[in-house]
Amino acid sequence: MKHAQPRLDRLGAYPFERLARLLDGLEQPAGLKPIDAGAGEPRLPRPAFVDEVLNRSLDGFSRYPPSRGARFLREAAARWLMRRYDLPRVDSDTQVLAANGTREALFAVAHALVNPEAGKLRPTVLMPNPMYQIYLGGAVTAGAEPVLMPCAPDTGFAPDLDAVRDEDWARAAFIYVCSPSNPTGWVADAAWYERLLELADRHDFFIVADECYSEIYRDEPPLGLLEACARLGRHDFSRCLVMNSLSKRSALPGLRSGLIAGDARLIARFAKLRSYTGPATPLPLQHVAAAAWADEAHVQANLATYRESLDAFFAEWGEGAPPAGSFFVWLEVGDGEAFARAAYARQAVTVLPGGYLGAEDARGRNPGQAFVRAALVDGPGAAAELARRLKTVRL
Ligand SMILES: Cc1ncc(COP(=O)(O)O)c(C=O)c1O
């Protein structure tokens, strides 16, 4: 295909397509109720205010939604950021954009930040390995070379900044950070962010922080990148963009609404790209989103359920402890694909092989290979049952 974009050929099939192929032809045992812990899709009830706000906003379906997000939504998002991260000021006009769910924004941001003609050598985009696969898709299609930072048990799954070669820092366009991490549950601390910001200044690159699990945590609310900036006196958030989502925080994955915030220069560039691509959430749904950012009661109720689910899982599983953040358990099982097939065929449980969330490094090793990821999204009873069934599958 002479005229088709060849960069797409460098991407593999998406993890859930691979999972469907892996399980194709296997039968689940009759008599066992299936448990689907494969996808990270919150399944808690929607907050009570959603229906009421939607019903009084229906006229908005007759208007095109602005691609930056309506002012009322950007203001609600800015207020949430200031409250949550104790920030003195976030300007909803210049420092905030709405996203149509963060998935599209995490992909598209690479197309706003990578300059494929920057020099003789291809620019790099750094990312954790394993990772949310959208990072790989964004980097590759934008013409950058992905540089993978291994996240292994010996460093508590922190992306290993020391594993990056100087020449890869030197041509870095930006880095994707995911804290709390999908899939490992790692959470960045102030020292890690400080080191990263120092590297970004030294090597002149940007930081894109995916914080969509920020409201699901074990102990303290995780530090955010904008908060880390403010603590270091970087009140303009220079070099930094964060993304957050109502999909996980408010258990509204079908709302397709998230926020993008940070450095006004980067927001302006990204807004320009988005004025052409036009990923806008319908106006009635933007009203629901604004109401969701303004309410914390439902977030606290959801958090309590996730904590109970994680505790229930580990009480049955018998070793390890809940992750610092996210609703995922990341289990070392030997061979992730073999385990996933056995869990499906013997216990009617769907989990995702960890290798599908990783990529092979320069030495041909995929750090997710020996793991599976299970999402605890169906409440404590299901989480305990999941652990009981998975225990019988351990190879
Ligand atoms: C790490 C991570 N980032 C971003 C997203 C995207 O979520 P959404 O597009 O619903 O905001 C997900 C969803 O699974 C995720 O796991």
Side-chain angles (χ1 to χ4, degrees):
M1 286 195 284
K2 185 170 118 200
H3 297 292
Q5 170 56 268
R7 288 173 190 163
L8 273 178
D9 298 330
R10 295 182 50 207
L11 297 176
Y14 201 66
F16 292 103
E17 270 179 63
R18 295 178 70 186
L19 180 63
R21 262 184 247 150
L22 180 78
L23 303 178
D24 190 32
L26 294 180
E27 296 278 338
Q28 292 192 333
L32 267 186
K33 190 166 169 244
I35 301 180
D36 181 1
E41 179 187 64
R43 301 202 187 107
L44 300 174
R46 65 181 177 277
F49 55 79
V50 169
D51 301 39
E52 189 262 315
V53 176
L54 183 61
N55 277 326
R56 67 175 146 81
S57 314
L58 293 172
D59 282 350
F61 281 125
S62 311
R63 293 178 45 207
Y64 276 119
S67 68
R68 296 177 72 92
R71 165 160 290 155
F72 65 78
L73 174 55
R74 284 183 280 112
E75 283 174 352
R79 275 195 296 272
W80 179 78
L81 285 165
M82 289 188 281
R83 200 169 69 236
R84 166 65 172 84
Y85 296 114
D86 199 17
L87 303 172
R89 184 174 148 78
V90 175
D91 181 353
S92 58
D93 274 335
T94 60
Q95 294 178 317
V96 180
L97 295 173
N100 194 10
T102 47
R103 178 177 175 147
E104 60 83 8
L106 287 161
F107 178 89
V109 75
H111 293 257
L113 299 186
V114 169
N115 176 3
E117 288 134 34
K120 285 207 187 72
L121 294 171
R122 227 155 24 114
T124 55
V125 170
L126 289 86
M127 64 189 72
N129 189 21
M131 84 296 271
Y132 184 49
Q133 294 278 300
I134 301 303
Y135 311 155
L136 210 50
V140 166
T141 57
E145 182 184 327
V147 170
L148 308 170
M149 296 178 295
C151 307
D154 55 337
T155 57
F157 298 106
D160 188 356
L161 299 170
D162 296 315
V164 180
R165 300 176 309 173
D166 278 347
E167 63 255 46
D168 291 338
W169 285 124
R171 57 200 169 102
F174 75 97
I175 180 172
Y176 283 108
V177 175
C178 187
S179 167
S181 154
N182 169 10
T184 68
W186 166 79
V187 167
D189 62 16
W192 195 87
Y193 278 130
E194 187 170 351
R195 172 129 192 259
L196 183 63
L197 284 160
E198 191 271 312
L199 284 162
D201 286 340
R202 182 156 21 120
H203 298 291
D204 188 17
F205 63 84
F206 306 118
I207 304 172
V208 174
D210 175 356
E211 300 185 348
C212 75
Y213 294 96
S214 66
E215 305 314 289
I216 303 169
Y217 50 87
R218 188 180 55 207
D219 303 320
E220 294 300 309
L223 185 69
L225 176 61
L226 300 187
E227 191 178 14
C229 285
R231 286 190 190 179
L232 295 166
R234 299 171 78 111
H235 291 291
D236 59 358
F237 313 127
S238 63
R239 302 186 176 284
C240 297
L241 283 181
V242 302
M243 308 224 187
N244 210 316
S245 173
L246 293 169
S247 300
K248 320 293 176 180
R249 173 186 179 273
S250 297
L252 291 171
L255 185 66
R256 308 313 301 134
S257 186
L259 67 80
I260 305 161
D263 184 335
R265 290 173 311 154
L266 304 183
I267 290 286
R269 281 203 80 71
F270 202 13
K272 184 169 183 186
L273 177 77
R274 298 169 74 73
S275 71
Y276 279 84
T277 57
T281 306
L283 271 171
L285 305 187
Q286 294 197 31
H287 281 284
V288 174
W293 288 118
D295 184 78
E296 292 299 332
H298 73 286
V299 181
Q300 288 306 312
N302 291 351
L303 176 58
T305 305
Y306 288 126
R307 283 178 170 161
E308 277 174 44
S309 301
L310 284 156
D311 286 344
F313 180 92
F314 282 98
E316 281 295 332
W317 185 247
E319 61 180 49
S326 88
F327 49 54
F328 295 114
V329 293
W330 183 238
L331 305 171
E332 195 159 3
V333 292
D335 176 341
E337 279 189 326
F339 186 92
R341 281 175 64 86
Y344 188 86
R346 298 197 340 230
Q347 291 294 337
V349 168
T350 307
V351 292
L352 191 65
Y356 296 3
L357 295 168
E360 280 189 4
D361 62 20
R363 282 173 291 180
R365 284 199 301 243
N366 179 332
Q369 204 72 49
F371 291 80
V372 292
R373 189 194 77 179
L376 304 192
V377 287
D378 286 314
E385 175 64 10
L386 177 69
R388 271 193 290 277
R389 292 202 206 167
L390 290 183
K391 251 184 356 191
T392 72
V393 180
R394 280 207 231 187
L395 306 174

